[in-house]
Amino acid sequence: MVRFKSRYLLCEVRMSDPPSLQLLDDRSVFTALRNAVSRAHGDYGAGVCGLSFAVKYLNARTGVLFLRCRKSHYRLIWSALPFVSSLESRGQRLPCAVDCLHVGGTIRTCQKFLIRYNARQIQRLLPQCRSEEECVEVRRAVMSCSLKELEEEEEEEDEERGEVSAGQ
Amino acid sequence: EEPASYERLVLKNASVYHYLRISLVFQDSDKRLSEAQFKQLIISALRDLYGEIGAAFPFDVLKFEENTLKAIIRVLSSGLVKLWSALTLLGSYQNEPCAFRIIQVSPLLLALSGNSRDFE
């Protein structure tokens, strides 16, 4: 058996006004990228990238974006990323820029890189806090979004749901 | 230990440029182009197939005969395949069907001075 090898591009979408990130969806990013590739690399690029090119994950809060493409042609998409200057979403044109942070062979390595990258970003940004309270605030915010707490919340919700269904 | 009786030689083509002799053929044969229009036509063919990045590699029209629409083109060896495929897929000029014929391709310009297929 031979498997198709892919490259995963970990990118970051940066908006000129950050709240408009919420308007993004997979499809608008996909069409914008495909148009950029076909402009930069023509019919050949569009044809090659039509194979197994997909947006695997998009976080509309942080702007983190996972792209998948064939290993043999990932350079075509990679080189077209800087040419994306705006995304079209719900009838609005949103000026933006797409940065490539990491190129990995699996989603797992990209995820590892993303965790390390975010940890580094926090360390870089913490000294910019103006007062001690801000530091504590940030630390509490980081700790409050740990996976463990989420799981507990989910369990509680499940229990509640269970009770409701039992009541009915 | 006695040396091997044969020696292996690998000669790779290290030339920087390739030269093509091409001709442009129209369906109705009374069309005239200037040299600039001819080069513009090739660039637009490249842009259609390979986009703006693909159309940015350098090539030169060394010689262009306006009455026969034949030309000699010099291109970097790395761009030869791109140029060739773009020329092949070109279909029309100003809504008139046309085609490029590649007559000779060589890494040496001197090789284009004669063509054995033209001999009587």
Side-chain angles (χ1 to χ4, degrees), chain A residues 39-44 79 83, chain B residues 47-54:
Chain A
R39 206 184 72 201
H41 293 289
D43 293 348
Y44 172 75
S79 58
F83 295 101
Chain B
R47 189 176 296 128
D48 280 349
L49 189 59
Y50 291 107
E52 288 175 13
I53 296 175

Side-chain angles (χ1 to χ4, degrees), chain B residues 27-41:
Chain B
Q27 207 166 31
D28 324 317
S29 56
D30 54 344
K31 189 88 180 173
R32 285 298 156 104
L33 273 85
S34 72
E35 201 169 334
Q37 283 171 320
F38 184 76
K39 183 160 184 182
Q40 189 57 40
L41 176 62

Side-chain angles (χ1 to χ4, degrees), chain B residues 27-80:
Chain B
Q27 207 166 31
D28 324 317
S29 56
D30 54 344
K31 189 88 180 173
R32 285 298 156 104
L33 273 85
S34 72
E35 201 169 334
Q37 283 171 320
F38 184 76
K39 183 160 184 182
Q40 189 57 40
L41 176 62
I42 298 176
I43 290 176
S44 70
L46 274 171
R47 189 176 296 128
D48 280 349
L49 189 59
Y50 291 107
E52 288 175 13
I53 296 175
F57 72 85
F59 72 95
D60 306 298
V61 179
L62 296 186
K63 192 175 154 195
F64 179 63
E65 294 165 22
E66 288 195 18
N67 43 2
T68 56
L69 291 178
K70 286 185 178 174
I72 293 180
I73 286 179
R74 181 179 75 167
V75 64
L76 283 173
S77 296
S78 59
L80 175 70

Side-chain angles (χ1 to χ4, degrees), chain A residues 90-117:
Chain A
R90 294 173 202 164
Q92 295 177 41
R93 286 186 76 80
L94 311 166
C96 71
V98 181
D99 295 339
C100 187
L101 303 178
H102 183 72
V103 181
T106 56
I107 294 185
R108 210 176 128 81
T109 53
C110 286
Q111 191 193 12
K112 278 182 182 169
F113 175 85
L114 185 60
I115 291 169
R116 257 192 302 139
Y117 174 79

Side-chain angles (χ1 to χ4, degrees), chain B residues 57-113:
Chain B
F57 72 85
F59 72 95
D60 306 298
V61 179
L62 296 186
K63 192 175 154 195
F64 179 63
E65 294 165 22
E66 288 195 18
N67 43 2
T68 56
L69 291 178
K70 286 185 178 174
I72 293 180
I73 286 179
R74 181 179 75 167
V75 64
L76 283 173
S77 296
S78 59
L80 175 70
V81 173
K82 277 186 181 178
L83 181 73
W84 198 331
S85 51
L87 289 179
T88 305
L89 289 173
L90 182 83
S92 65
Y93 171 67
Q94 291 176 349
N95 296 326
E96 252 186 79
C98 68
F100 274 107
R101 305 261 182 258
I102 315 288
I103 302 168
Q104 279 175 297
V105 182
S106 169
L108 303 168
L109 184 57
L110 192 62
L112 301 189
S113 62

Side-chain angles (χ1 to χ4, degrees), chain A:
Chain A
M1 263 309 268
V2 183
R3 74 188 170 98
F4 287 120
K5 292 201 174 175
S6 304
R7 279 276 182 256
Y8 293 90
L9 307 180
L10 171 61
C11 306
E12 189 179 30
V13 183
R14 288 191 301 168
M15 291 284 180
S16 51
D17 60 333
S20 61
L21 265 179
Q22 303 278 344
L23 296 172
L24 287 188
D25 55 2
D26 289 10
R27 185 170 298 217
S28 64
V29 174
F30 182 79
T31 47
L33 284 172
R34 207 181 44 195
N35 290 342
V37 171
S38 83
R39 206 184 72 201
H41 293 289
D43 293 348
Y44 172 75
V48 155
C49 294
L51 290 172
S52 93
F53 173 50
V55 175
K56 293 298 275 186
Y57 172 79
L58 172 71
N59 192 329
R61 288 176 188 279
T62 56
V64 170
L65 177 67
F66 272 106
L67 300 174
R68 185 192 66 190
C69 50
R70 283 279 163 83
K71 187 178 172 179
S72 49
H73 298 293
Y74 83 95
R75 275 162 196 281
L76 291 186
I77 293 175
W78 191 42
S79 58
L81 283 179
F83 295 101
V84 179
S85 60
S86 71
L87 295 171
E88 193 135 351
S89 177
R90 294 173 202 164
Q92 295 177 41
R93 286 186 76 80
L94 311 166
C96 71
V98 181
D99 295 339
C100 187
L101 303 178
H102 183 72
V103 181
T106 56
I107 294 185
R108 210 176 128 81
T109 53
C110 286
Q111 191 193 12
K112 278 182 182 169
F113 175 85
L114 185 60
I115 291 169
R116 257 192 302 139
Y117 174 79
N118 284 340
R120 225 170 35 227
Q121 289 298 96
I122 286 178
Q123 280 173 7
R124 204 168 61 88
L125 292 175
L126 268 182
Q128 290 178 17
C129 289
R130 263 172 258 124
S131 61
E132 191 67 26
E133 287 102 67
E134 262 186 19
C135 272
V136 175
E137 185 79 10
V138 169
R139 195 165 298 139
R140 220 190 44 232
V142 170
M143 298 306 282
S144 73
C145 62
S146 70
L147 206 60
K148 207 168 183 180
E149 204 159 290
L150 272 180
E151 278 173 0
E152 279 170 11
E153 273 178 21
E154 275 176 12
E155 276 172 18
E156 279 170 19
E157 278 177 17
D158 285 346
E159 279 169 18
E160 279 170 20
R161 226 172 281 145
E163 281 165 18
V164 169
S165 58
Q168 284 172 347

